[in-house]
Amino acid sequence: MFMLKFWQRDRLQNVMIHEFLRRGGRTIAENECAILVEDAPSGILCVSAENEEAGREVMAARESYDLVILSQPLMSEYAERRYGLVCEHPCHQSVYTRGEPLPLSGKLDISVANEAELETIAATYRFADREELEAARRRGMIFTAHADGKFYGYIGEHGEGSMGMLEIFPPFRGRGYATELESFMINKKLEAGSTPYCHIIFGNSASYALQKKLGLETAGEPVLWTHRRGTGH
């Protein structure tokens, strides 16, 4: 019931709380106004809180954190002061809430990345390390796009379940391939019974435009991936 309350109150802001629990995650701590959840597959933590006092209470369930996602920025100062957690790339969270699959043009041949393609992905995508890319391929959740024998780009799912890793190589941009790839990924997520969502790093105007075009709704407040100072993410 508590998870349902959070999900219904602000579906866009709290999609990760909902998805972590749907994926088999566990609630580490909760009170009337905050919850701390651990994602089962990735072990990543997410906290959502209506106010700082409630958020402090649930975060006290852990002595320290290497990485925790803040569903609202109101906990950021406390997380830095108490746990030494910093955020290098604040994001906006966009969520596909319609529940209906998107049409595909069929102009791309989309398939799970092979080893050679993974080498190219690792060399061109800077927000995931090789281990995360390998894990996505083992899950069958990193895809490449081809047409006319050419490798056009790729898209994948991050370890905690968000869509991402979207890249169209420069010679092929402006042809609608990003729209096709993300539509494909949204449909894959819907088939699996999940709510598709993604994180947009501040200032990425192309991604904001793409999410709007595909009908995703963007949460009103930033989502912060915070990590222990000096460790990076």
Side-chain angles (χ1 to χ4, degrees), residues 200-215:
I200 309 168
I201 292 176
F202 280 17
N204 189 342
S205 57
S207 185
Y208 287 123
L210 177 61
Q211 309 320 316
K212 183 177 181 180
K213 179 180 179 180
L214 291 173

Side-chain angles (χ1 to χ4, degrees), residues 26 37 47 53 57 72 76-77 82 102 108 134 139 148 151 161 182 208 212 225:
R26 66 189 181 101
V37 171
V47 62
E53 183 179 358
E57 183 178 311
Q72 301 86 7
S76 60
E77 290 186 12
R82 170 66 178 82
L102 292 169
L108 293 177
E134 290 277 10
R139 298 195 310 273
D148 303 320
F151 183 11
E182 187 166 330
Y208 287 123
K212 183 177 181 180
W225 283 72

Side-chain angles (χ1 to χ4, degrees), residues 104-114 117-118 120-121 141-156 165-169 172-173 175-185:
L104 298 176
S105 70
K107 59 188 174 183
L108 293 177
D109 179 18
I110 303 172
S111 58
V112 176
N114 60 37
E117 291 165 341
L118 203 66
T120 301
I121 295 169
M141 288 302 286
I142 185 162
F143 300 94
T144 56
H146 296 80
D148 303 320
K150 298 175 182 177
F151 183 11
Y152 283 7
Y154 52 86
I155 194 169
M165 309 178 196
L166 177 57
E167 179 75 18
I168 301 298
F169 300 130
F172 310 115
R173 292 175 184 168
R175 306 183 190 181
Y177 297 143
T179 299
E180 185 84 351
L181 265 179
E182 187 166 330
S183 296
F184 173 88
M185 179 60 82

Side-chain angles (χ1 to χ4, degrees), residues 32 65 72 76 79 89 103 130 140-141 176 179 192 225-226 229 231:
E32 285 300 312
Y65 294 88
Q72 301 86 7
S76 60
H89 303 290
R130 182 56 185 262
M141 288 302 286
T179 299
W225 283 72
T226 66
R229 188 182 288 106
T231 60

Side-chain angles (χ1 to χ4, degrees), residues 38-49:
E38 181 179 39
D39 181 47
S42 69
I44 289 175
L45 300 167
C46 181
V47 62
S48 182

